[in-house]
Amino acid sequence: EEILMEAPKVTIRGQNGEVVYENGIVSRTTASNVQHAGGHSMTGPASATASLPGMPASTTMTNEKFIALDSNNDPVTGLKYEIQDGEGGIESSGSTGGSGDSSSVVKNAVKKIKLVFK
């Protein structure tokens, strides 16, 4: 399986750190350090800078769903939640279903969504 994310900036955040992909640079931050990796330019007669075409806007529809699991990986049912957009607006709300799943949020180019348990 594959997870595809298309955006000018992608942030993956976990309990102990985050990884940010932006402008060809990868930044990894943890509680103890920060690492950056990016492109480097090599000069000399054998090097050349490639001219890349402009990238089209994404037409990918996203279909985001969350699943709540307990520490034994069993689904948590009946858990009240809200799915919010990047500005705090409510995209969806309800209670987790029989397999611990939220409702789906289907949008064109979702920039940021957040799951909030109530």
Side-chain angles (χ1 to χ4, degrees):
E1 293 186 27
E2 176 183 28
I3 297 174
L4 171 65
M5 291 182 258
E6 292 183 23
K9 178 179 178 182
V10 175
T11 302
I12 301 172
R13 185 172 295 137
Q15 182 176 357
N16 295 317
E18 72 179 23
V19 177
V20 179
Y21 301 89
E22 181 178 28
N23 297 322
I25 298 173
V26 179
S27 300
R28 180 174 169 256
T29 305
T30 65
S32 60
N33 69 3
V34 176
Q35 295 175 332
H36 299 284
H40 298 281
S41 175
M42 306 283 276
T43 60
S47 67
T49 302
S51 179
L52 300 176
M55 297 299 290
S58 174
T59 58
T60 302
M61 294 294 289
T62 61
N63 184 348
E64 306 297 334
K65 180 185 271 194
F66 295 93
I67 297 177
L69 302 172
D70 65 17
S71 60
N72 294 320
N73 285 330
D74 294 323
V76 180
T77 62
L79 190 60
K80 293 184 181 199
Y81 67 85
E82 285 182 354
I83 298 175
Q84 300 176 354
D85 62 19
E87 289 76 44
I90 298 173
E91 293 286 336
S92 177
S93 65
S95 297
T96 55
S99 59
D101 56 322
S102 70
S103 59
S104 292
V105 175
V106 179
K107 298 282 260 182
N108 187 357
V110 170
K111 293 185 179 173
K112 179 178 182 181
I113 59 174
K114 176 170 63 170
L115 178 66
V116 178
F117 292 110
K118 296 290 181 172

